[in-house]
């Protein structure tokens, strides 16, 4: 009989299914709290804010990459998967963070980036020093070029950040990178790559990590047979035959990961970032694989009753088929914050809007926040896990006017300065109403904050019953009291209203329209905004029992 592995630190409760209905708070550590006055957030900063995280009532923290990285892509270019970037702290600091979270019964989900490494990873440096055809190069995707002299890329494949997905090295070969050139893709058909990542899962699980968020989970398996299929044939078909993404072979990898994760008691949780069609996405969430997969449908949806109801229906049905619980998300480190998206006219191209420094079209900040609060309260009423991005509990807007010279996202460079990228949602969050970084640290932060950030700080909102921070705290507290099971029953409602009942009859009602509707009978548990006399105002959600 095998012996289960015992991690160094564990939460007070040991429910193996904690992840099924969790509220998970995403921390982007470089922009959360800076304790050493270098303008960059660090692990000690996260630890110092654990009491704040506990006050939010979250069940887990998803920690974005904290590994050694040259920051070609905000930490998603990893130079060493089993260490901490010295600008963010040490392994001892990581252990202290895990202990602090567990003492408050908060789990830790670590980000893991298996599709690619940094070009400063020891493996890639060895590959560049070795000859074509060597075992060192076999860990990555190196190929000879096209054309008579091999001077053309092997295929017309395009990077997600713009430009060719191939870069040539001095000896004439080319390597594949689906993202930045500083992020060479690993070859997951190589058994050494697979074994090494399984060891990485054990390394962090042994230190007390409770789960993993898997970056670009749909990209690991690739069809590299020749002739290479041209880019215009890449369309994520439902049969898993795309050459680069969501191939059937990827599930062999994650089945092996599940065996590793099940070596622990309770088993380590995992959630896939898998940009795949819904019928395919649920495969990553099977109990024999990662257990959950992000669904980004609400994040991409307009603020519209029919759109939200359809998305909820489809995803709950898909989750029931897979045996997983659903996941819900409205903002994260890769998209314009939803308080801003909802304040822009429907159909706005947010990339184009950012290029105007957020001036055209004009942003209705009050409406955006009102809608964001309503959407969040609806999301928190749903069965499944809700993922909250740092700062959304303050109602933060996108920092749209970052000066061009301060931009860090590789999209800015790779697109020839035509797409600003994701820095606007990664600006350090405000803790105080004033100071050189609004309480983020003692010096100016690595990304400039808007001058009005202090008004949305924790200090400004703490204790204000009408603040967005107070709403989040009230909602998570009520959710913890009310949330049991994963059933949902739709309630007949007027056009523009989404209403459903959960177990024991408590209800969530959202008025997506602009005109008030009759407020159903019942005791008000929490509402996203002020209620009228017997009416539910427009763009407002209420929970009733």
């Amino acid at each position: 009989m095998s012996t289960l592995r015992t991690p160094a630190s564990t939460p007070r409760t040991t429910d193996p299914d904690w992840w099924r209905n969790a509220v998970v708070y995403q921390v982007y550590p470089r922009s959360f709290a800076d304790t050493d006055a270098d303008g960059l957030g660090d692990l000690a900063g996260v630890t110092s804010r654990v009491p704040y995280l506990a006050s939010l009532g979250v069940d887990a923290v998803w920690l974005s990459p904290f590994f050694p990285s040259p920051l070609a892509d905000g930490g998603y270019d990893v130079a060493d998967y089993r260490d901490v970037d010295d600008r963010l702290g040490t392994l001892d600091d990581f252990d202290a963070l895990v202990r602090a979270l567990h003492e408050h019964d908060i789990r830790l989900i670590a980000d893991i980036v298996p599709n690619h490494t940094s070009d400063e990873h020891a493996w890639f440096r060895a590959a560049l020093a070795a000859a074509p055809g060597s075992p060192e190069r076999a860990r990555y995707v190196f190929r000879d070029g096209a054309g008579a002299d091999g001077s053309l890329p092997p295929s017309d494949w395009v990077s997600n950040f713009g430009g060719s997905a191939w870069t040539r090295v001095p000896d004439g070969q080319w390597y594949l990178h689906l993202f930045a050139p500083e992020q060479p893709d690993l070859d997951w058909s190589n058994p050494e790559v697979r074994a090494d990542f399984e060891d990485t899962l054990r390394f962090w699980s042994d230190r007390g990590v409770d789960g993993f968020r898997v970056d670009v989970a749909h990209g690991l398996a690739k069809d590299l047979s020749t002739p290479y299929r041209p880019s215009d044939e890449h369309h994520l078909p439902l049969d898993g035959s795309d050459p680069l993404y969501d191939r059937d072979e990827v599930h062999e990898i994650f089945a092996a990961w599940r065996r590793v994760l099940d070596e622990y008691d309770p088993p380590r949780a995992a959630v896939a970032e898998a940009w795949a069609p819904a019928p395919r996405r649920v495969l990553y969430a099977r109990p024999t694989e990662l257990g959950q997969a992000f669904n980004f449908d609400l994040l991409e949806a307009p603020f519209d009753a029919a759109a939200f109801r359809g998305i909820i229906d489809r995803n709950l049905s898909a989750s029931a088929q897979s045996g997983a619980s659903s996941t819900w998300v409205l903002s994260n480190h890769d998209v314009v914050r939803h308080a801003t998206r909802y304040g822009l006219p429907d159909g706005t191209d947010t990339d184009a809007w950012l290029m105007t420094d957020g001036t055209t079209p004009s942003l209705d900040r009050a409406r955006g926040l009102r809608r964001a609060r309503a959407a969040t309260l609806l999301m928190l009423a749903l069965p499944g896990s809700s993922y909250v991005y740092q700062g959304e509990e303050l109602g933060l807007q996108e920092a749209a006017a970052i000066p061009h010279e301060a931009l860090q996202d590789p999209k800015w460079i790779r697109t020839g300065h035509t797409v600003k990228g994701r820095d606007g949602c990664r600006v350090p969050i405000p803790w105080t109403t004033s100071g050189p970084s609004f309480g983020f640290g003692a010096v100016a932060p690595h990304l400039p904050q808007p001058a009005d950030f202090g008004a949305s700080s924790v200090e400004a909102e703490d204790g204000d019953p009408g603040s967005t921070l107070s709403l989040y705290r009230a909602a998570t507290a009520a959710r913890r009291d009310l949330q049991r099971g994963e059933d949902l029953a739709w309630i007949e409602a007027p056009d523009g209203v989404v209403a459903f009942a959960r177990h024991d009859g408590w209800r969530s009602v959202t008025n997506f329209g602009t005109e008030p509707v009759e407020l159903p009978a019942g005791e008000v548990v929490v509402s996203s905004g002020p209620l009228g006399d017997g009416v539910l105002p427009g763009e407002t959600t209420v929970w009733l029992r």
Side-chain angles (χ1 to χ4, degrees):
M1 181 180 295
S2 62
T3 301
L4 294 175
R5 300 170 71 97
T6 303
S9 174
T10 58
R12 292 198 304 263
T13 59
T14 56
D15 178 8
D17 293 327
W18 65 267
W19 51 272
R20 294 190 67 92
N21 286 287
V23 177
V24 183
Y25 184 93
Q26 182 188 358
V27 168
Y28 190 74
R30 290 169 173 83
S31 294
F32 195 66
D34 169 25
T35 60
D36 58 4
D38 65 353
L40 198 66
D42 44 54
L43 294 188
V46 183
T47 303
S48 73
R49 302 297 186 180
V50 167
Y52 171 76
L53 296 170
S55 80
L56 289 176
V58 301
D59 300 292
V61 165
W62 155 23
L63 190 64
S64 289
F66 51 88
F67 316 106
S69 171
L71 299 182
D73 183 24
Y76 285 88
D77 48 317
V78 179
D80 184 345
Y81 289 90
R82 298 178 205 158
D83 205 351
V84 172
D85 192 310
D86 58 13
R87 291 165 292 188
L88 274 67
T90 65
L91 284 170
D92 286 342
D93 291 324
F94 178 83
D95 294 341
L97 171 58
V98 173
R99 286 194 302 271
L101 289 169
H102 285 173
E103 287 169 2
H104 287 81
D105 217 20
I106 300 172
R107 271 78 173 179
L108 178 67
I109 297 173
D111 224 323
I112 191 165
V113 188
N115 180 70
H116 46 262
T117 72
S118 165
D119 61 351
E120 294 188 13
H121 191 284
W123 275 7
F124 194 71
R125 293 199 303 268
L128 293 181
S134 63
E136 291 82 1
R137 289 208 174 179
R139 297 165 177 153
Y140 294 90
V141 181
F142 278 87
R143 294 294 185 270
D144 293 331
D149 58 356
S151 63
L152 299 176
S155 73
D156 70 344
W157 296 346
V158 177
S159 160
N160 283 278
F161 292 159
S164 175
W166 298 93
T167 289
R168 200 178 194 191
V169 300
D171 62 28
Q173 278 205 310
W174 299 73
Y175 68 87
L176 179 68
H177 52 88
L178 296 183
F179 294 87
E182 296 87 355
Q183 295 168 290
D185 279 35
L186 289 162
D187 187 342
W188 274 85
S189 67
N190 187 324
E192 184 181 5
V193 171
R194 297 193 183 199
D196 192 74
F197 267 86
E198 290 173 17
D199 286 345
T200 294
L201 294 176
R202 293 186 182 98
F203 178 87
W204 293 110
S205 295
D206 288 345
R207 300 191 89 94
V209 165
D210 303 284
F212 297 91
R213 179 262 186 187
V214 186
D215 187 63
V216 195
H218 60 307
L220 306 192
K222 300 175 176 69
D223 177 9
L224 298 168
S225 61
T226 56
Y228 301 108
R229 288 161 57 187
S231 290
D232 60 10
E233 293 184 11
H234 301 188
H235 53 277
L236 287 177
L238 291 176
D239 63 0
S241 63
D242 187 277
L244 298 179
Y245 296 108
D246 189 40
R247 295 188 59 79
D248 287 339
E249 300 94 314
V250 79
H251 299 293
E252 302 169 11
I253 298 168
F254 294 132
W257 282 29
R258 174 44 57 193
R259 290 191 289 273
V260 172
L261 301 175
D262 284 349
E263 293 174 1
Y264 295 84
D265 182 21
R268 307 295 90 168
V271 58
E273 182 205 30
W275 291 91
R280 301 273 308 173
R281 187 172 61 226
V282 297
L283 301 179
Y284 299 81
R286 290 178 291 192
T288 53
E289 294 188 29
L290 296 177
Q292 273 192 333
F294 277 124
N295 106 64
F296 297 110
D297 296 350
L298 288 183
L299 182 149
E300 297 180 313
F303 188 81
D304 175 82
F308 267 60
R309 175 160 176 166
I311 287 167
I312 294 166
D313 247 344
R314 290 192 300 273
N315 282 283
L316 290 180
S317 175
S319 295
Q321 293 172 18
S322 71
S325 61
S326 191
T327 62
W328 311 102
V329 57
L330 295 168
S331 283
N332 63 29
H333 64 292
D334 281 335
V335 298
V336 170
R337 289 183 175 276
H338 68 286
T340 295
R341 297 198 313 272
Y342 291 152
L344 293 168
D346 288 346
T348 296
D349 181 335
T350 53
D351 284 336
W353 177 78
L354 287 171
M355 288 300 293
T356 71
D357 289 344
T359 61
T360 307
S362 60
L363 170 65
D364 187 334
R365 294 170 64 99
R367 187 181 202 192
L369 180 57
R370 184 169 63 249
R371 287 176 158 189
R373 289 164 58 107
T376 295
L377 195 55
L378 182 156
M379 177 184 77
L380 290 171
L382 294 170
S385 294
S386 295
Y387 284 77
V388 176
Y389 180 50
Q390 65 178 45
E392 71 172 74
E393 78 278 12
L394 303 174
L396 291 188
Q397 300 280 346
E398 187 80 359
I402 298 174
H404 291 180
E405 62 273 15
L407 293 172
Q408 301 173 9
D409 195 316
K411 286 186 177 183
W412 175 243
I413 297 172
R414 296 281 292 170
T415 61
H417 297 175
T418 61
V419 177
K420 272 190 170 181
R422 302 156 293 177
D423 289 328
C425 66
R426 299 179 178 185
V427 168
I429 65 173
W431 296 93
T432 59
T433 57
S434 59
S437 62
F438 298 108
F440 167 72
V443 299
H446 66 104
L447 282 169
Q449 300 158 301
D452 62 357
F453 245 27
S456 298
S457 65
V458 174
E459 182 182 30
E461 297 195 16
D462 194 21
D464 176 0
S467 72
T468 303
L469 177 58
S470 292
L471 170 64
Y472 272 68
R473 285 171 170 164
T476 56
R479 187 182 196 272
R480 184 162 290 187
D481 179 51
L482 295 170
Q483 181 90 304
R484 291 183 299 281
E486 297 175 21
D487 294 330
L488 176 150
W490 294 110
I491 298 173
E492 186 175 348
D495 288 345
V497 175
V498 170
F500 54 85
R502 298 296 314 281
H503 48 78
D504 298 333
W506 72 276
R507 293 155 288 156
S508 172
V509 184
T510 303
N511 180 4
F512 283 83
T514 56
E515 296 300 317
V517 297
E518 183 179 354
L519 181 67
E523 175 191 354
V524 174
V525 179
V526 61
S527 64
S528 66
L531 301 177
D533 185 12
V535 298
L536 177 62
E539 302 175 337
T540 303
T541 296
V542 64
W543 293 359
L544 302 163
R545 62 180 170 189

